[in-house]
Amino acid sequence: MWTAPRILVAEDDPKQARLIRIYLEREGHQVTVAADGRQALERARALRPDLLVLDVMMPGLDGLDVCRVIRAEASVPILLLTARSTEDDMLLGLDLGADDYLTKPYSPRVLTARVRALLRRAGVGGAPAAASAEPVLRVGDLEVDPNRFEVRTAGRRVEVTAKEFGILQTLAAEPSRVFTRAQILERAFGFDHHVLERTVDAHVMNLRRKMERDPADPVYVQTVYGRGYRLGPAVEG
């Protein structure tokens, strides 16, 4: 039985919050609004939403702090809304575990499309698994399961975000291939091809922190200098 995805929107501007709610509810989502960071954190823990939309600049507790706390507790997709347009600000949000970001001012239609893509990659709100089953990708001791949205290394489950999962799924589908950052953006991030290629580096860095015994000497996601990324030969066995 299909259930409408639950989305928590944390936005302290009432007009912006109302606009976001209208567009997301038109998409069939259940929307809850929080007016500040502390309220967002409380409601996220109580409601366990399928996705969070977080404004970075909020009173009390800003969106980056909320993102940091929530990411430590759950793998729920997080979309940041930010008026900070510099590359370093964007990468900071990704380093804290956000899956995507939008820079203000933004189109509500683009926001709903980003939400749709994040939910799809997280396996939320789509067709039943039996109707859209995809094979589990197994490369050595790495398992990437698109249907359960699970990653395991040597039988150990690794909690990943939607974008991190997309990167691993891309690499595991063709384990001997080297993918450029642009190719990873196209395959793992979908229509977000216009975002900075350095965002791939930020997500890979987060993956290494989670997966590798020594992130400085990675076994799973390895850099091919001057080209991009691939799964390490040792993973393939």
Short mmCIF file of all heavy atoms in Angstrom, two decimals, residues 8-12 17 32-37 39-41 43 58:
data_model
loop_
_atom_site.label_atom_id
_atom_site.label_comp_id
_atom_site.label_asym_id
_atom_site.label_seq_id
_atom_site.Cartn_x
_atom_site.Cartn_y
_atom_site.Cartn_z
N LEU A 8 9.80 17.08 6.36
CA LEU A 8 9.91 18.14 7.36
C LEU A 8 10.63 19.32 6.73
O LEU A 8 11.74 19.19 6.21
CB LEU A 8 10.68 17.65 8.58
CG LEU A 8 10.99 18.71 9.66
CD1 LEU A 8 9.70 19.27 10.25
CD2 LEU A 8 11.87 18.12 10.76
N VAL A 9 9.97 20.48 6.75
CA VAL A 9 10.54 21.72 6.22
C VAL A 9 10.89 22.64 7.38
O VAL A 9 10.01 23.01 8.16
CB VAL A 9 9.56 22.42 5.26
CG1 VAL A 9 10.13 23.76 4.80
CG2 VAL A 9 9.24 21.53 4.07
N ALA A 10 12.15 23.00 7.50
CA ALA A 10 12.59 23.94 8.54
C ALA A 10 12.93 25.26 7.87
O ALA A 10 13.94 25.38 7.19
CB ALA A 10 13.79 23.39 9.29
N GLU A 11 12.06 26.24 8.04
CA GLU A 11 12.21 27.54 7.37
C GLU A 11 11.58 28.60 8.27
O GLU A 11 10.39 28.51 8.62
CB GLU A 11 11.52 27.51 6.01
CG GLU A 11 11.37 28.84 5.31
CD GLU A 11 12.68 29.51 5.00
OE1 GLU A 11 13.38 29.07 4.07
OE2 GLU A 11 13.01 30.49 5.72
N ASP A 12 12.36 29.63 8.68
CA ASP A 12 11.85 30.62 9.61
C ASP A 12 11.08 31.74 8.92
O ASP A 12 10.43 32.55 9.59
CB ASP A 12 12.99 31.20 10.45
CG ASP A 12 14.00 31.97 9.61
OD1 ASP A 12 14.38 31.46 8.54
OD2 ASP A 12 14.41 33.07 10.01
N ALA A 17 8.05 29.31 3.84
CA ALA A 17 7.59 28.01 4.35
C ALA A 17 6.24 27.64 3.73
O ALA A 17 6.01 26.48 3.36
CB ALA A 17 7.49 28.06 5.87
N THR A 32 5.35 18.80 7.19
CA THR A 32 5.35 19.42 8.51
C THR A 32 6.37 20.55 8.49
O THR A 32 7.46 20.39 7.94
CB THR A 32 5.74 18.41 9.60
OG1 THR A 32 4.80 17.32 9.60
CG2 THR A 32 5.75 19.06 10.97
N VAL A 33 6.01 21.70 9.07
CA VAL A 33 6.88 22.87 9.05
C VAL A 33 7.40 23.16 10.45
O VAL A 33 6.64 23.11 11.43
CB VAL A 33 6.15 24.10 8.48
CG1 VAL A 33 7.02 25.35 8.59
CG2 VAL A 33 5.77 23.86 7.02
N ALA A 34 8.68 23.47 10.54
CA ALA A 34 9.30 23.92 11.79
C ALA A 34 9.82 25.33 11.56
O ALA A 34 10.37 25.64 10.50
CB ALA A 34 10.44 22.99 12.20
N ALA A 35 9.65 26.20 12.56
CA ALA A 35 9.98 27.62 12.40
C ALA A 35 11.40 27.98 12.82
O ALA A 35 11.85 29.09 12.58
CB ALA A 35 9.00 28.48 13.19
N ASP A 36 12.11 27.05 13.47
CA ASP A 36 13.49 27.31 13.86
C ASP A 36 14.22 25.98 13.99
O ASP A 36 13.63 24.90 13.89
CB ASP A 36 13.58 28.12 15.16
CG ASP A 36 12.89 27.44 16.33
OD1 ASP A 36 13.22 26.26 16.61
OD2 ASP A 36 12.04 28.06 16.97
N GLY A 37 15.52 26.08 14.25
CA GLY A 37 16.34 24.88 14.28
C GLY A 37 16.02 23.92 15.41
O GLY A 37 16.00 22.70 15.21
N GLN A 39 13.17 23.52 16.99
CA GLN A 39 11.90 22.88 16.69
C GLN A 39 12.08 21.82 15.59
O GLN A 39 11.48 20.75 15.65
CB GLN A 39 10.88 23.93 16.25
CG GLN A 39 9.46 23.40 16.13
CD GLN A 39 8.49 24.50 15.74
OE1 GLN A 39 8.41 24.89 14.58
NE2 GLN A 39 7.75 25.02 16.73
N ALA A 40 12.93 22.11 14.62
CA ALA A 40 13.19 21.15 13.54
C ALA A 40 13.82 19.88 14.10
O ALA A 40 13.44 18.77 13.71
CB ALA A 40 14.12 21.78 12.50
N LEU A 41 14.75 20.03 15.01
CA LEU A 41 15.41 18.87 15.60
C LEU A 41 14.42 18.03 16.40
O LEU A 41 14.40 16.79 16.29
CB LEU A 41 16.57 19.34 16.49
CG LEU A 41 17.52 18.27 17.01
CD1 LEU A 41 18.11 17.47 15.87
CD2 LEU A 41 18.62 18.92 17.84
N ARG A 43 11.12 17.88 16.03
CA ARG A 43 10.13 17.24 15.15
C ARG A 43 10.75 16.14 14.30
O ARG A 43 10.10 15.15 13.98
CB ARG A 43 9.44 18.30 14.30
CG ARG A 43 8.59 19.24 15.15
CD ARG A 43 7.76 20.21 14.33
NE ARG A 43 6.90 21.00 15.22
CZ ARG A 43 6.08 21.94 14.83
NH1 ARG A 43 5.98 22.24 13.53
NH2 ARG A 43 5.34 22.61 15.70
N MET A 58 18.79 30.03 10.36
CA MET A 58 17.62 29.99 11.23
C MET A 58 18.02 30.41 12.63
O MET A 58 19.17 30.21 13.04
CB MET A 58 17.01 28.58 11.27
CG MET A 58 16.36 28.13 10.00
SD MET A 58 15.45 26.58 10.22
CE MET A 58 16.79 25.44 10.58
#
